[in-house]
Amino acid sequence: MLKGLNFGDTMKPELGYVILAAGKGTRMHSDLPKVLQQVLGKSLLGYVFDALNHVSQSRMWTVVGFRACDVERTFPQRLEQFVRQEEQIGTGHALMCAWDRIMAAGVSHVCVLNGDTPHVPVEAISNLAEACAANHAAMGMLTLRLDNPFGYGRIIRSADGCVEGVVEEKDFNAADHGGEVHEVNSGVYVFDVGRCASLLELMDRNNAQREYYLTQMVSLCAAHKQSVVGLPFGSSDLLRGINSPGELVRFEESLRTKIVNDLLDAGVILRNRHSIVIGPDVTVGSGAEIVGPCEIYGQSRIERGAVIASHCWIKDSILGPCQVKSFSHIEGSHIRAGASVGPYARIRPGSDIGEGARVGNFVEVKKSVLHTGAKAGHLSYLGDSDIGPGVNIGAGTITCNYDGVRKHRTEILENAFIGSNTALVAPVTVGAGALVAAGSVVTKNVPDGALCVARSRQTNLDRKKQPPQS
Ligand code: UD1
Ligand code: MG
């Protein structure tokens, strides 16, 4: 409990959320909007949205501006909550852009967060909102104590400890404040909507960057005898904003290390762990084994008993207790128990590799099902196909699924045998137990149990009786 602050039983504040995500992120030196920069395969803004998943979308607004369409397109299910800031002239102006929506929603308080800070301290935010309400404060903010406060707005407190101003890096001069100030603004605020409405209009651009600084609200509150709660959040690195490639990569590395260590503690074998990258939403069952270098992203689930060799890249896939050999690439697919994939296999989205099935080297599978025990050992392309149980696909088999306009499906029924170097021109079905001779170009359906030979017959002639070659 903080000295002087009341956390009493006042009515719970009705909280809305505004995420500031309109800035270009000049210090990132990239054409991508900063909030779309990725950390372990997930965008900065994605982290913020996921942490606030419990918040109703009717109480949440995201201010976008620089390449707004790109940001909006990345989150199509959230289109309703985007608010445009056409000209990016500061964080204060960004909040003003959302103000009408906030007022219309009728919330008592609004939490404002920077979209470049992936960690959202959900519990500390509700404490902050309650402290604001209980103390009748116009606004509150979470502060950090950093050894190196460079880049952050410095918190200025009065002799009796009240927050009375924030001075931004570009306006800060240590000499004016009796030395360096180590308490900084985390960029997490709560505003009392009623108390702040008129003060917002008093913000100006009289500062080094000629922008409307949201942080000016602190001195405006102080000047109008409104109190500000400054709630310390400790010296944690978690609430650091990401402004440059260095900060992005350092944050990514610390999160990666944490995820790997947590998995090791939970009983996952991670060999060569320093080169294993696992995204924040991936689940890995204890008893799974992964060898680095290896990357696993998205909504992947790796189950107990799965063994993944080095140099694999996996995204949005479910792996049962299977074997994935080196240099395999798996996306949006399911690899079931006892299946074996790779080395050098590419499993593209929509594929399902059944129990005990085998996909060998240089085999590409796209939107295809390989049922139990089906095998494609070498050098094949299986696209838009359904490969029945026990089918054997010979080396060099290609499903010709595209006619230049549309995609078509290939169906190979159980226990069929496809000889090497076969082209299956879709749409086509090979019946159960059928055998397609090597080198065939199959353009018509093959009945169950048939032998299909679809190639020109070989002729062997006596060389000595041939006319001499010119
Ligand atoms: C900001 C704070 C600083 C704090 C730091 C914490 C201000 C003026 N300064 O500085 O006190 O210590 O965060 O990380 O707020 N944005 C807009 N529209 C704009 C400008 C920015 O939506 O016109 C968004 C950005 O996309 C970003 C967020 O606001 O997500 C913060 O902007 P940024 O430029 O990163 O501010 P900092 O310099 O980090
Ligand atoms: Mg920032």
Side-chain angles (χ1 to χ4, degrees), residues 27 34 116 242-243:
R27 289 163 280 177
K34 180 168 66 171
D116 67 354
I242 290 175
N243 300 297

mmCIF file of all heavy atoms in Angstrom, residues 27 34 116 242-243, ligand 2:
data_model
loop_
_atom_site.group_PDB
_atom_site.id
_atom_site.type_symbol
_atom_site.label_atom_id
_atom_site.label_comp_id
_atom_site.label_asym_id
_atom_site.label_seq_id
_atom_site.Cartn_x
_atom_site.Cartn_y
_atom_site.Cartn_z
ATOM 1 N N ARG A 27 12.466 6.113 -35.073
ATOM 2 C CA ARG A 27 13.732 5.556 -34.569
ATOM 3 C C ARG A 27 13.908 4.083 -34.952
ATOM 4 O O ARG A 27 14.958 3.502 -34.761
ATOM 5 C CB ARG A 27 13.778 5.704 -33.036
ATOM 6 C CG ARG A 27 13.959 7.122 -32.567
ATOM 7 C CD ARG A 27 13.601 7.288 -31.097
ATOM 8 N NE ARG A 27 12.161 7.394 -30.888
ATOM 9 C CZ ARG A 27 11.573 7.488 -29.699
ATOM 10 N NH1 ARG A 27 12.295 7.480 -28.602
ATOM 11 N NH2 ARG A 27 10.254 7.585 -29.604
ATOM 12 N N LYS A 34 5.523 0.915 -36.515
ATOM 13 C CA LYS A 34 6.256 0.304 -35.394
ATOM 14 C C LYS A 34 5.443 -0.769 -34.676
ATOM 15 O O LYS A 34 5.974 -1.820 -34.305
ATOM 16 C CB LYS A 34 6.684 1.389 -34.401
ATOM 17 C CG LYS A 34 7.443 0.847 -33.217
ATOM 18 C CD LYS A 34 8.100 1.923 -32.387
ATOM 19 C CE LYS A 34 7.141 2.831 -31.704
ATOM 20 N NZ LYS A 34 7.801 3.727 -30.745
ATOM 21 N N ASP A 116 3.494 0.500 -28.310
ATOM 22 C CA ASP A 116 4.857 -0.025 -28.509
ATOM 23 C C ASP A 116 5.390 -0.706 -27.253
ATOM 24 O O ASP A 116 6.581 -0.960 -27.129
ATOM 25 C CB ASP A 116 5.809 1.097 -28.966
ATOM 26 C CG ASP A 116 6.061 2.157 -27.897
ATOM 27 O OD1 ASP A 116 5.420 2.110 -26.831
ATOM 28 O OD2 ASP A 116 6.916 3.038 -28.139
ATOM 29 N N ILE A 242 9.262 0.035 -26.869
ATOM 30 C CA ILE A 242 10.211 -0.380 -27.907
ATOM 31 C C ILE A 242 10.239 0.686 -28.992
ATOM 32 O O ILE A 242 9.220 0.956 -29.630
ATOM 33 C CB ILE A 242 9.815 -1.764 -28.441
ATOM 34 C CG1 ILE A 242 10.097 -2.776 -27.318
ATOM 35 C CG2 ILE A 242 10.577 -2.106 -29.710
ATOM 36 C CD1 ILE A 242 9.673 -4.158 -27.591
ATOM 37 N N ASN A 243 11.387 1.311 -29.130
ATOM 38 C CA ASN A 243 11.489 2.432 -30.064
ATOM 39 C C ASN A 243 12.529 2.227 -31.146
ATOM 40 O O ASN A 243 12.510 2.934 -32.154
ATOM 41 C CB ASN A 243 11.839 3.712 -29.283
ATOM 42 C CG ASN A 243 10.782 4.032 -28.240
ATOM 43 O OD1 ASN A 243 9.640 4.286 -28.573
ATOM 44 N ND2 ASN A 243 11.161 3.961 -26.963
HETATM 45 MG MG MG B 2 7.848 4.673 -27.267
#
